């Protein structure tokens, strides 16, 4: 009798479980098919999706969260440019679209919601299918190529995506890793690629002042170290490890009382975590909140706050596990960073040990009501400065950044300095010192190899990786800027279209053809490319008088100064490819003190002559850039070289000359 009941129960349970399995899997599983699948709706991912669709291929964009645009719409509104010359194609189009929102030609400083709206424009215009809140589970590879990927969402609904070519645009490189492509995490030793600035570094940037005591009870090692200080001795300078440069949030705050949510005490708040900030304040009398936090002004009474100094928003040492962590572990790390950052803001505004001047200043600020309305007015995007880095067909290194090595297969450029945030915090000579910060300027813009965004052929033949690309830690620190990621996203998508069209491996595409496509169709929609004539383009420029070239600031690699007066002049003769209406601009660097504050610009269009006076004092340069494009008017131009732009000094003062830009009126 008992056996009968057990047998019936067993079979009933089994049948019920099978029914559930069939019901759940049958209802939840979906199969998607596209020519190109892009993983990660970062700025690079959205630009890549838009590019591929505009070039005639079907696209699916899948992302593990719901936020679109990555850091570019996640608080990094004060753009790390490096040099405007390297920002091309749709990346440049993005900054012009943000500019349009503010009634400007370009805007490199913008509010998060403005950037988000621009990214949504791209998705709408190209009718991109986006699967949000889908995490990558597994990758199905056959004969060295990805055949499909399996994804699942927070409801445990699973889907499969089949595609010809895949692009990993995530900050973490998850698709790359699950596809079995080699990668690294952390810092190589200086000797690995013969680099001066890789590995362990103790430098003056974002450092503690001398004399900051590391112990809970000053002078008493037995009391233990303050929070955030490693007990490990610092390793040899230049040695490698798997430690990752610090993450933080790019914090958007508002000082408009009508657009504020108060900064409140976050969960898990512990004021002892911020004791080092107090010790810096006490060590440096008169220090301001702007010295503790990097406040960069944005439109409409908002700021973009970044890390600054020895103790700030960077949560040093808390992210080392992030690159290879699973989803649950990553969410925990993200929350820890959020609470740490919110706790620092609360501490500086409310802890009575903080000087009144700092507290009163901080209490003027709050979370903006009109930003991140679906996430409690806090950015949903952790600043993942670096995670995995592919070991691909070519590894970008410090030698590329310095110009010692120049690649021929460039599909984008970088110009930001070799930049790494701190990685660890130690006791050195009885004092607190940060380790890992590097800030070294590069001499000039340099090309990024196509081979650095593709895996080695034997590892995968249909994957491109424009974000977690193949670079050493310190070279990645120069490349890892949002404008460059967008440029590389467009380049990767164009290459993916070429590979899909010809049914070939991504390693086999014609690099010269790819470079031509990026040059001749920079907006991926057939629009006439911009024309830029630099002062050093001898084929299109004539100079009268004695001119000296100055490297460094300016557009591209520098600017020219005329050392003579009177008849001195420089004339630009652009080659107009297609007749039409064009907007003309001149690049002006107001900080060039040795040159005249004003100069005349003569524009000749056939027999017509137009004169414009440019006054440097009227030009407001904002953000991380040396100059601005100053409008000279709109002109109906014929094909050929019948249009010219002439600069000449006003009076007997010296004159500076840089670049001229023509933008077709679409």
């Amino acid at each position: 009798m008992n056996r009968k009941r057990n047998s019936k129960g067993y079979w009933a349970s089994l049948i019920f479980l099978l029914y559930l399995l069939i019901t759940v899997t049958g209802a939840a599983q979906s199969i998607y098919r596209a020519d190109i699948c892009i993983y990660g709706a970062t700025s690079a991912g959205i630009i890549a999706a838009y590019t591929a669709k505009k070039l005639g291929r079907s696209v699916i964009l899948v992302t593990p969260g719901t936020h679109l645009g990555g850091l570019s719409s996640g608080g990094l509104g004060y753009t790390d440019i490096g040099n405007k010359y390297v920002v091309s194609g749709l990346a440049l189009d993005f900054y012009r679209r943000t500019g349009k929102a503010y009634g400007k030609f370009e805007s490199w400083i913008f509010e998060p919601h403005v950037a988000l709206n621009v990214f949504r424009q791209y998705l709408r215009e190209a009718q991109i299918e986006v699967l949000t809140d889908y995490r990558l589970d597994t990758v199905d590879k056959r004969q060295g190529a990805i055949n499909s990927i399996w994804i699942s969402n927070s409801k445990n609904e699973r889907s499969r995506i089949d595609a010809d070519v895949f692009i990993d645009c995530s900050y973490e490189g998850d698709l790359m890793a699950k596809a079995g492509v080699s990668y690294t995490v952390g810092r190589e030793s200086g000797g690995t690629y013969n680099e001066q600035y890789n590995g362990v570094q103790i430098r003056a940037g974002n450092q503690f002042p001398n004399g900051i005591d590391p112990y809970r009870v000053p002078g008493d090692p037995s009391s233990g170290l303050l929070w955030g200080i490693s007990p490990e001795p610092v390793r040899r300078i230049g040695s490698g490890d798997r430690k990752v440069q610090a993450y933080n949030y790019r914090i958007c705050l508002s000082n408009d009382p009508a657009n504020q949510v108060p900064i409140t005490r976050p969960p898990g708040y512990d004021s002892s975590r911020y004791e080092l900030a107090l010790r810096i304040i006490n060590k440096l009398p008169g220090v301001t909140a702007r010295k503790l936090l990097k406040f960069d002004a944005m439109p409409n009474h908002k700021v973009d706050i970044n890390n600054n100094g020895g103790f700030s928003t960077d949560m040093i040492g808390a992210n080392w596990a992030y690159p290879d962590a699973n989803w649950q572990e990553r969410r925990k790390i993200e929350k820890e960073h959020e609470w740490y950052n919110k706790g620092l803001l609360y501490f500086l505004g409310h802890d009575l040990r903080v000087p009144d001047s700092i507290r009163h200043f901080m209490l003027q600020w709050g979370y903006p009501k009109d930003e991140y309305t679906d996430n409690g007015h806090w950015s949903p995007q952790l600043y993942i400065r670096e995670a995995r880095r592919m070991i691909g067909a070519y590894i970008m290194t410090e030698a590329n950044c310095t110009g010692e090595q120049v690649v021929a297969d460039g599909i984008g450029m970088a110009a930001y300095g070799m930049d790494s945030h701190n990685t660890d915090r130690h006791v050195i000579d009885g004092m607190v010192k940060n380790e890992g910060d590097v800030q070294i300027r590069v001499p000039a813009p340099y090309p990024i190899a196509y081979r650095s965004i593709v895996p080695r052929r034997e590892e995968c033949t249909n994957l491109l990786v424009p974000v977690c690309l193949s670079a050493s830690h310190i070279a990645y620190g120069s490349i890892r800027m949002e404008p460059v990621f967008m440029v590389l996203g467009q380049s990767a998508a164009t290459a993916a279209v070429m590979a899909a069209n010809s049914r070939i491996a991504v390693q086999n595409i014609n690099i010269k053809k790819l470079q031509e496509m990026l040059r001749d169709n920079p907006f991926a929609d057939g629009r006439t490319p911009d024309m830029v004539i630099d002062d050093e383009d001898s084929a299109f420029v004539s100079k009268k008088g004695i001119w000296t070239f100055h490297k460094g600031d300016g557009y591209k690699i520098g600017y020219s100064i005329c050392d003579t007066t009177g008849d001195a002049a420089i004339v630009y003769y652009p080659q107009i490819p297609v007749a039409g209406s064009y907007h003309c601009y001149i690049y002006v660097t107001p900080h060039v003190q040795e040159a005249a504050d004003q100069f005349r610009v003569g524009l000749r269009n056939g027999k017509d002559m137009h004169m414009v006076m440019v006054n440097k004092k009227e030009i407001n340069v904002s953000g991380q850039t040396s100059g601005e494009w100053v409008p000279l008017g709109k002109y109906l131009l014929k094909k050929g070289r019948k249009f010219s732009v002439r600069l000449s000094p006003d009076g007997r003062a010296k004159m500076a000359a840089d670049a001229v830009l023509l933008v077709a009126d679409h």
Side-chain angles (χ1 to χ4, degrees):
M1 194 71 177
N2 285 337
R3 256 186 277 174
K4 240 181 196 176
R5 277 202 300 270
N6 289 342
S7 175
K8 283 182 179 178
Y10 169 81
W11 287 110
S13 298
L14 181 60
I15 290 169
F16 180 70
L17 287 171
L18 287 171
Y19 169 79
L20 279 180
L21 182 64
I22 292 168
T23 302
V24 171
T25 56
Q29 286 187 359
S30 300
I31 298 176
Y32 297 89
R33 166 71 200 172
D35 298 325
I36 297 169
C37 173
I38 298 163
Y39 185 75
T42 59
S43 59
I46 292 175
I47 293 298
Y50 179 88
T51 301
K53 191 68 180 293
K54 285 293 184 178
L55 294 179
R57 282 293 179 168
S58 61
V59 174
I60 287 181
L61 175 60
V62 58
T63 193
T66 58
H67 175 66
L68 302 174
L71 257 297
S72 288
S73 58
L76 205 165
Y78 192 81
T79 306
D80 299 314
I81 305 171
N83 189 317
K84 288 180 182 177
Y85 172 70
V86 306
V87 186
S88 58
L90 288 168
L92 186 56
D93 183 72
F94 170 83
Y95 294 103
R96 289 181 182 169
R97 291 191 187 209
T98 58
K100 189 175 182 180
Y102 297 110
K104 299 167 64 177
F105 174 49
E106 297 171 352
S107 184
W108 305 83
I109 301 174
F110 44 81
E111 299 156 275
H113 76 270
V114 170
L116 179 60
N117 288 339
V118 171
F119 286 125
R120 286 173 172 166
Q121 285 174 15
Y122 285 123
L123 295 174
R124 285 196 304 270
E125 288 173 14
Q127 298 181 329
I128 304 294
E129 183 173 11
V130 186
L131 302 179
T132 59
D133 191 32
Y134 272 93
R135 301 179 295 271
L136 179 64
D137 289 336
T138 57
V139 174
D140 177 22
K141 274 179 73 179
R142 298 177 189 175
Q143 298 179 337
I146 301 172
N147 185 62
S148 59
I149 63 173
W150 284 92
I151 56 177
S152 62
N153 62 16
S154 55
K155 299 176 183 177
N156 290 320
E157 297 169 336
R158 297 192 78 222
S159 297
R160 192 183 85 200
I161 301 177
D162 301 333
D164 297 324
V165 185
F166 292 80
I167 307 175
D168 187 345
C169 287
S170 68
Y171 290 123
E172 298 87 356
D174 287 336
L175 177 54
M176 168 192 72
K178 287 188 182 259
V181 172
S182 298
Y183 66 89
T184 187
V185 173
R187 302 176 290 184
E188 299 89 353
S189 70
T192 303
Y193 301 118
N194 191 28
E195 296 174 305
Q196 182 178 356
Y197 300 110
N198 210 339
V200 172
Q201 299 283 326
I202 300 176
R203 306 174 67 83
N206 292 306
Q207 189 57 273
F208 283 85
N210 287 335
I212 300 294
D213 193 288
Y215 304 110
R216 293 176 183 171
V217 176
D220 182 6
S222 67
S223 65
L225 294 168
L226 289 172
W227 181 89
I229 302 175
S230 171
E232 298 177 1
V234 67
R235 299 180 65 199
R236 177 179 55 82
I237 300 298
S239 58
D241 54 34
R242 287 184 59 83
K243 296 176 182 178
V244 180
Q245 63 172 306
Y247 299 168
N248 68 346
Y249 279 89
R250 293 293 286 254
I251 304 169
C252 182
L253 298 182
S254 170
N255 65 354
D256 178 0
N259 189 33
Q260 275 188 2
V261 175
I263 294 171
T264 55
R265 181 183 178 120
Y269 176 76
D270 181 355
S271 64
S272 68
R273 287 189 165 195
Y274 310 104
E275 177 67 28
L276 282 172
L278 272 182
R279 295 193 181 180
I280 290 176
I281 291 169
N282 293 332
K283 183 72 174 179
L284 303 174
V287 68
T288 65
R290 291 182 181 275
K291 290 290 185 181
L292 299 169
L293 307 172
K294 187 174 183 289
F295 279 74
D296 288 312
M298 292 198 296
N300 297 317
H301 306 283
K302 294 175 188 172
V303 289
D304 170 1
I305 291 178
N306 196 10
N307 183 80
N308 197 44
F311 188 93
S312 189
T313 58
D314 278 359
M315 196 176 184
I316 297 173
N319 62 329
W320 298 344
Y322 184 91
D324 281 323
N326 62 32
W327 293 107
Q328 294 81 4
E329 291 166 341
R330 284 182 182 169
R331 297 297 86 81
K332 182 181 177 183
I333 292 169
E334 288 170 0
K335 273 298 175 188
E336 288 172 349
H337 280 73
E338 178 183 337
W339 292 345
Y340 167 77
N341 275 220
K342 287 181 173 179
L344 177 59
L345 297 177
Y346 180 80
F347 175 82
L348 293 175
H350 294 84
D351 197 295
L352 295 180
R353 295 170 294 171
V354 175
D356 290 348
S357 60
I358 294 176
R359 286 192 296 110
H360 293 162
F361 176 80
M362 290 302 300
L363 290 174
Q364 298 174 29
W365 298 90
Y367 304 123
K369 282 184 181 178
D370 61 346
E371 300 290 355
Y372 314 124
T373 55
D374 59 348
N375 197 55
H377 311 287
W378 181 261
S379 174
Q381 179 63 64
L382 180 65
Y383 194 170
I384 302 162
R385 291 189 173 93
E386 184 176 355
R388 299 180 176 108
R389 300 188 312 279
M390 180 169 64
I391 302 175
Y394 181 87
I395 299 171
M396 298 290 294
T397 68
E398 187 178 303
N400 297 106
C401 301
T402 60
E404 294 174 41
Q405 292 182 11
V406 180
V407 298
D409 60 339
I411 39 80
M413 302 192 80
Y416 204 79
M418 290 179 280
D419 178 272
S420 174
H421 280 237
N422 280 303
T423 302
D424 209 345
R425 182 174 287 145
H426 296 275
V427 179
I428 300 176
D429 297 330
M431 301 178 290
V432 185
K433 291 293 175 183
N434 289 334
E435 183 276 306
D437 185 273
V438 177
Q439 299 173 56
I440 304 295
R441 293 188 69 174
V442 300
Y446 60 91
I448 301 167
Y450 173 72
R451 289 164 294 160
S452 71
I453 69 169
V454 297
R456 291 178 290 194
R457 184 186 303 271
E458 63 270 21
E459 292 189 337
C460 194
T461 57
N462 67 338
L463 173 68
L464 296 113
V465 186
V467 176
C468 293
L469 74 160
S470 180
S472 70
H473 158 71
I474 198 59
Y476 191 82
S478 172
I479 297 168
R480 64 170 182 85
M481 304 302 152
E482 288 289 294
V484 177
F485 283 157
M486 286 189 253
V487 170
L488 295 179
Q490 179 175 0
S491 300
T494 307
V497 168
M498 293 174 65
N501 287 346
S502 301
R503 297 184 179 277
I504 58 174
V506 294
Q507 292 85 358
N508 288 351
I509 69 160
N510 186 317
I511 301 298
K512 185 176 180 181
K513 178 65 175 176
L514 171 61
Q515 293 170 330
E516 289 173 352
M517 288 178 68
L518 295 170
R519 180 197 66 203
D520 297 338
N521 190 16
F523 306 114
D525 60 2
R527 278 185 281 166
T528 303
D530 291 352
M531 285 167 282
V532 178
I533 308 96
D534 193 63
D535 55 305
E536 289 300 290
D537 294 337
S538 58
F540 302 98
V541 173
S542 68
K543 296 175 181 177
K544 186 176 183 180
I546 301 172
W547 293 81
T548 304
F549 184 69
H550 294 249
K551 289 189 71 173
D553 293 321
Y555 188 80
K556 197 173 182 180
I557 60 173
Y559 57 90
S560 295
I561 290 285
C562 183
D563 294 322
T564 55
T565 55
D567 276 347
I570 181 171
V571 185
Y572 301 79
Y573 298 95
Q575 177 74 41
I576 309 301
V578 179
S581 181
Y582 290 83
H583 296 268
C584 186
Y585 301 84
I586 187 169
Y587 196 78
V588 180
T589 52
H591 70 279
V592 179
Q593 299 299 322
E594 63 265 41
D597 286 333
Q598 60 182 14
F599 53 88
R600 297 189 303 272
V601 182
L603 301 105
R604 182 181 294 278
N605 184 14
K607 295 180 180 180
D608 297 330
M609 190 73 184
H610 185 67
M611 190 69 68
V612 177
M613 184 65 74
V614 175
N615 189 337
K616 292 195 302 184
K617 293 180 179 179
E618 297 175 355
I619 300 167
N620 178 34
V621 177
S622 56
Q624 298 185 36
T625 180
S626 59
E628 292 290 338
W629 290 113
V630 176
L632 301 176
K634 186 168 77 169
Y635 302 90
L636 188 62
L637 306 182
K638 295 181 179 180
K639 184 178 179 180
R641 297 182 66 171
K642 298 178 181 180
F643 178 75
S644 65
V645 180
R646 176 189 176 95
L647 280 68
S648 54
D650 183 41
R652 299 187 59 80
K654 293 183 179 180
M655 179 177 56
D658 205 332
V660 167
L661 168 67
L662 286 172
V663 179
D665 188 27
H666 299 287

